[in-house]
Every structure is written in structure tokens, then in C-alpha cells.
Amino acid sequence: MHRFIGIWVVVVDDRVFVRSWSLKPQGWYRTFLAEPQGAIQIAGQEIPICAVRTRSERVKSAVDRAYLEKYITTGEIKYARDLVRANCRATTIELLPLPTAG
């Protein structure tokens, strides 16, 4: 049985992106690098996905803007600014839906 953790997500051009704030060896980012297929949970529904590293600088810049536009409260802005720094920017992953059986 796996567990779900909260990850800050942004949408750019109808594409879903995430970044890791922490690069812990056992963290979700390194887990997705080793095994790109997984699942996300949205409104209680589990959706199978494949995690794909993003290399495009244009896309990373759009993701930067999306984080800074979405996470703007006093408690969020510090983390949003961290997520657009080089070390976090390098962890940009797109979550692609996998087909479901049936």
C-alpha cells in the first residue's frame, strides 16, 4: 500500500507540472526518477500517471511564472520563490495521465 503526500502543482497550457523543494534520497522526486509510473489523487480519485522530466527552458520559465502566480499568500510566497530557484527548477516534472483499463 502506498501513501499520498501533498505536492504543489501548477498547470501550464493544460499540462500538469510539479517541482521538488527537497531532494531527499527517499523523497518523491527521486522515486519518480527511478520509477516514473505512479498515481496522483485529486478530489479522492486516484489517477495513474507517468512522470517525465522537463528539459525545455521555455517550459521551465512558464512553470516559474505559474508557481509565482498561484502561490501568493503570506505563507506560500517564500516556498514559491524557492521553487523557482535553480536547484528546484532542475526538478521540473510533467505528470502525464496513463490510460486506465476498462
Side-chain angles (χ1 to χ4, degrees), residues 19-20 54 56-62 64 82-93:
R19 286 184 177 164
S20 180
T54 303
S56 166
E57 289 301 316
R58 181 189 63 77
V59 171
K60 288 180 186 179
S61 293
D64 289 346
D82 285 346
L83 286 168
V84 302
R85 293 194 174 136
N87 62 330
C88 291
R89 195 172 199 266
T91 69
T92 306
I93 289 179

Side-chain angles (χ1 to χ4, degrees), residues 27-95:
W28 68 262
Y29 174 73
R30 294 194 193 273
T31 299
F32 268 140
L33 291 182
E35 177 49 59
Q37 291 190 1
I40 58 174
Q41 193 175 54
I42 300 173
Q45 183 176 11
E46 194 170 318
I47 301 166
I49 55 95
C50 182
V52 178
R53 289 183 71 189
T54 303
R55 300 191 191 287
S56 166
E57 289 301 316
R58 181 189 63 77
V59 171
K60 288 180 186 179
S61 293
V63 172
D64 289 346
R65 288 188 298 275
Y67 271 108
L68 293 173
E69 290 170 4
K70 180 177 180 181
Y71 297 104
I72 59 172
T73 68
T74 304
E76 296 170 338
I77 193 68
K78 174 199 180 305
Y79 298 102
R81 288 182 184 140
D82 285 346
L83 286 168
V84 302
R85 293 194 174 136
N87 62 330
C88 291
R89 195 172 199 266
T91 69
T92 306
I93 289 179
E94 182 173 6
L95 302 179

